[in-house]
């Protein structure tokens, strides 16, 4: 992976670093790749999987020119990019949700996303056009904090400490999620497939994370998955969680954690074990992936400087798994509304239902159907009454400065799966 961190200007006044403009280009292209030795056509940012990491710092201004150079007519050719976890305060037009905040970017055209990021933490970007990101259009975003409250607790935090987890399907969109017959776990874009290893009788290379003995590392674990959750461990090493999804937490020590599609964790790991090689495992949940470590699938390697370049022989049993109820925000601010069920000004149940006959979910009885005109453009064209906005039944009224309670109900297919709100 190649990081993007091109700064147009930077000002320092009285020792305080001012906002910087981070400008870059993402060229969306088709390319055949074989991260698990199984060649398949893909949709990629700048021809790599994962796409190039975008770096910046809290308060920076981002100008990202996305050019659609897709040519493979067997796959989706329009595109849009969502910047997952970024609030987009006053720039909702740059959120990237196709047919909600923008029209898709058609082939041989481009779109400039122009927004500020006044947050810090670990985020990611991905196609937000149908199921296209399952074909490879996904990458990480790292926003550093000049006032990081944990800066003294670790020694290394750079591109080498980013760990991306992805599920990889050998079937191209728009219907990759109807079958997981050839599902592979990729860690930093590398992995081994159950099918390929048997067919080719060879082993694809695994990702290697290098560490120096005695150093403390802030590993940023980002799930770029389409669907599969992963149980993540580093053999022989405890992990101290300090950030989840861009929010600082009070320190929490674990030795394993479940990470779901779109989630991110920052953990501090002390390289204080004997010099050697240790397995990094990302074991998926069946049937949404194939768990197990035969031929060292679902794995990467933590390698100490000075260790031989051989596969680890470590084993591990988790004795201190993450319980999400134990996660607490570092800040003490209270959520809006009353601390009770239905204690907000507006209460909206979110009840998804799967319909196998049409391969669609609905929410509260209404399946989402993309409108012919993006929702935001409908508003800009003068449709201000939410009841008149299309698609009918999928737009909810809110009142400014009110508290809102969303009641999330479980799903019978595809769960467990996280919900995430754009723009808040």
């Amino acid at each position: 992976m190649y990081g993007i961190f091109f700064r147009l200007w930077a000002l320092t006044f009285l020792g305080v670093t001012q906002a910087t403009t981070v400008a870059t280009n993402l060229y969306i292209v088709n390319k055949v790749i074989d991260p698990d030795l199984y060649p398949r056509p893909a949709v990629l940012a700048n021809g790599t999987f994962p796409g190039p990491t975008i770096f910046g710092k809290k308060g920076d201004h981002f100008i990202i020119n996305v050019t659609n150079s897709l040519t493979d007519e067997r796959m989706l050719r329009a595109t849009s990019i969502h910047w997952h976890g970024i609030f987009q305060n006053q720039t909702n037009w740059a959120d990237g949700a196709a047919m909600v905040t923008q029209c898709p970017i058609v082939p041989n055209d481009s779109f400039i996303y122009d927004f500020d990021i006044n947050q810090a933490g670990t985020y990611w970007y991905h196609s937000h056009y149908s199921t296209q990101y399952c074909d490879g259009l996904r990458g990480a975003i790292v926003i550093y904090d000049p006032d990081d409250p944990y800066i003294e607790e670790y020694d290394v935090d750079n591109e080498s400490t980013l760990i991306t987890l992805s599920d990889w399907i050998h079937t191209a969109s728009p219907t990759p999620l109807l079958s997981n017959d050839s599902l592979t776990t990729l860690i930093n874009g590398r992995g081994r497939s159950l099918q390929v290893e048997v067919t080719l009788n060879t082993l694809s290379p695994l990702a290697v994370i290098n560490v120096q003995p005695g150093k403390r590392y802030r590993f940023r674990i980002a799930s770029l998955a389409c669907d599969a959750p992963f149980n993540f461990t580093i053999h022989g090493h405890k992990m101290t969680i300090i950030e989840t999804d861009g929010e600082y937490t009070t320190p929490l020590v674990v030795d394993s954690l479940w990470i779901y599609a779109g989630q991110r964790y920052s953990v501090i790991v002390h390289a204080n074990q004997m010099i050697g090689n240790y397995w990094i495992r990302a074991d998926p949940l069946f049937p949404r992936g194939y768990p197990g470590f035969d031929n060292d699938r679902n794995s990467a390697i933590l390698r100490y400087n000075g260790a031989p370049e051989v596969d680890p022989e470590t084993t591990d049993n988790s004795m201190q798994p993450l319980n999400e109820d134990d996660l607490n925000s570092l800040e003490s601010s209270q959520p809006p509304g009353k601390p009770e069920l239905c204690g907000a000004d507006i209460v909206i149940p979110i009840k998804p239902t799967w319909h196998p006959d049409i391969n669609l979910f609905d929410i509260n009885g209404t399946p989402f159907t993309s409108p012919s005109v993006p929702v935001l453009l409908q508003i800009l064209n003068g449709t201000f009454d939410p009841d008149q906005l299309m698609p009918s039944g999928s737009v909810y009224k809110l009142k400014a400065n009110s508290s809102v309670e969303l009641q999330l109900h479980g799903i019978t297919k595809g769960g467990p799966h996280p919900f995430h709100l754009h723009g808040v």
Side-chain angles (χ1 to χ4, degrees):
M1 295 182 294
Y2 299 93
I4 297 178
F5 204 168
F6 177 43
R7 297 191 162 192
L8 293 183
W9 53 267
L11 297 175
T12 301
F13 180 69
L14 296 179
V16 178
T17 302
Q18 303 299 304
T20 296
T21 294
V22 178
T24 191
N25 292 286
L26 291 180
Y27 298 98
I28 312 306
V29 300
N30 291 119
K31 185 179 178 181
V32 175
I33 61 173
D34 59 348
D36 58 357
L37 297 185
Y38 187 98
R40 60 148 291 184
V43 177
L44 306 174
N46 294 6
T48 68
F49 181 81
T53 304
I54 297 175
F55 291 95
K57 71 176 186 304
K58 184 178 179 179
D60 280 353
H61 181 71
F62 290 76
I63 300 174
I64 305 173
N65 185 25
V66 176
T67 300
N68 184 345
S69 299
L70 297 174
T71 58
D72 192 334
E73 295 184 355
R74 298 169 298 176
M75 307 171 73
L76 296 168
R77 293 187 61 203
T79 195
S80 68
I81 304 295
H82 171 54
W83 320 96
H84 192 114
I86 304 305
F87 292 160
Q88 299 295 358
N89 185 17
Q90 301 186 21
T91 52
N92 59 341
W93 62 267
D95 187 61
M99 302 313 296
V100 177
T101 59
Q102 72 169 90
C103 294
I105 309 166
V106 298
N108 302 314
D109 206 346
S110 62
F111 189 89
I112 297 176
Y113 295 89
D114 188 333
F115 53 88
D116 296 328
I117 297 182
N118 293 305
Q119 309 157 241
T122 311
Y123 305 93
W124 66 301
Y125 64 90
H126 58 86
S127 168
H128 210 292
Y129 182 62
S130 186
T131 55
Q132 186 180 61
Y133 94 72
C134 302
D135 286 331
L137 183 39
R138 25 185 165 159
I141 303 172
V142 175
I143 307 299
Y144 296 110
D145 187 354
D147 300 312
D148 183 348
Y150 291 110
I151 193 67
E152 299 298 328
E153 303 301 318
Y154 58 85
D155 306 302
V156 184
D157 176 24
N158 55 34
E159 190 169 14
S160 73
T161 60
L162 175 64
I163 301 175
T164 62
L165 310 178
S166 309
D167 46 11
W168 188 246
I169 303 170
H170 294 165
T171 312
S173 66
T175 56
L177 300 184
L178 300 183
S179 170
N180 67 350
D181 288 343
S182 302
L183 199 66
T184 303
T185 298
L186 302 181
I187 302 179
N188 285 354
R190 293 184 171 187
R192 293 175 181 169
S193 166
L194 181 66
Q195 177 185 5
V196 173
E197 311 306 335
V198 173
T199 303
L200 299 181
N201 194 30
T202 188
L203 297 176
S204 55
L206 299 176
V208 177
I209 309 295
N210 293 293
V211 295
Q212 182 176 338
K215 294 286 188 180
R216 300 164 301 169
Y217 291 82
R218 177 176 178 167
F219 288 123
R220 296 175 182 264
I221 309 162
S223 173
L224 314 187
C226 273
D227 183 46
F230 302 103
N231 186 259
F232 183 86
T233 58
I234 303 176
H235 284 189
H237 295 75
K238 296 290 182 68
M239 301 178 286
T240 302
I241 298 172
I242 59 169
E243 177 222 345
T244 63
D245 295 348
E247 295 292 331
Y248 289 118
T249 67
T250 56
L252 179 63
V253 178
V254 301
D255 60 11
S256 68
L257 58 86
W258 279 99
I259 182 169
Y260 297 85
Q263 291 185 327
R264 295 89 59 205
Y265 287 95
S266 281
V267 301
I268 297 174
V269 174
H270 192 187
N272 58 0
Q273 300 301 303
M274 293 181 58
I275 292 176
N277 296 286
Y278 297 82
W279 284 122
I280 298 172
R281 305 291 204 188
D283 205 22
L285 179 68
F286 184 81
R288 294 153 67 194
Y290 288 116
F293 308 116
D294 48 298
N295 287 334
D296 302 320
R297 296 181 303 108
N298 306 314
S299 302
I301 299 171
L302 183 77
R303 176 166 292 152
Y304 279 68
N305 291 352
E309 295 185 7
V310 297
D311 285 352
E313 297 180 354
T314 56
T315 59
D316 198 47
N317 290 312
S318 175
M319 302 298 293
Q320 203 170 354
L322 168 64
N323 179 351
E324 290 188 2
D325 289 342
D326 294 333
L327 289 171
N328 293 290
S329 172
L330 187 62
E331 299 181 359
S332 58
S333 58
Q334 296 297 312
K338 299 177 182 178
E340 59 190 42
L341 189 64
C342 299
D345 300 323
I346 300 171
V347 177
I348 302 175
I350 304 294
K351 297 181 179 180
T353 302
W354 170 251
H355 298 279
D357 53 331
I358 56 175
N359 287 322
L360 285 177
F361 285 97
D362 71 40
I363 298 292
N364 297 339
T366 302
F368 180 84
T369 302
S370 289
S372 58
V373 177
V375 178
L376 181 59
L377 187 55
Q378 295 176 51
I379 297 171
L380 295 175
N381 285 338
T383 304
F384 300 120
D385 184 350
D387 290 330
Q388 302 301 315
L389 292 170
M390 302 298 290
S392 178
S394 295
V395 179
Y396 292 85
K397 294 181 182 180
L398 300 179
K399 183 179 180 180
N401 300 314
S402 61
S403 59
V404 181
E405 178 181 311
L406 299 180
Q407 297 178 345
L408 304 180
H409 295 251
I411 54 181
T412 58
K413 180 180 176 63
H417 194 89
F419 279 75
H420 114 94
L421 296 177
H422 290 219
V424 295

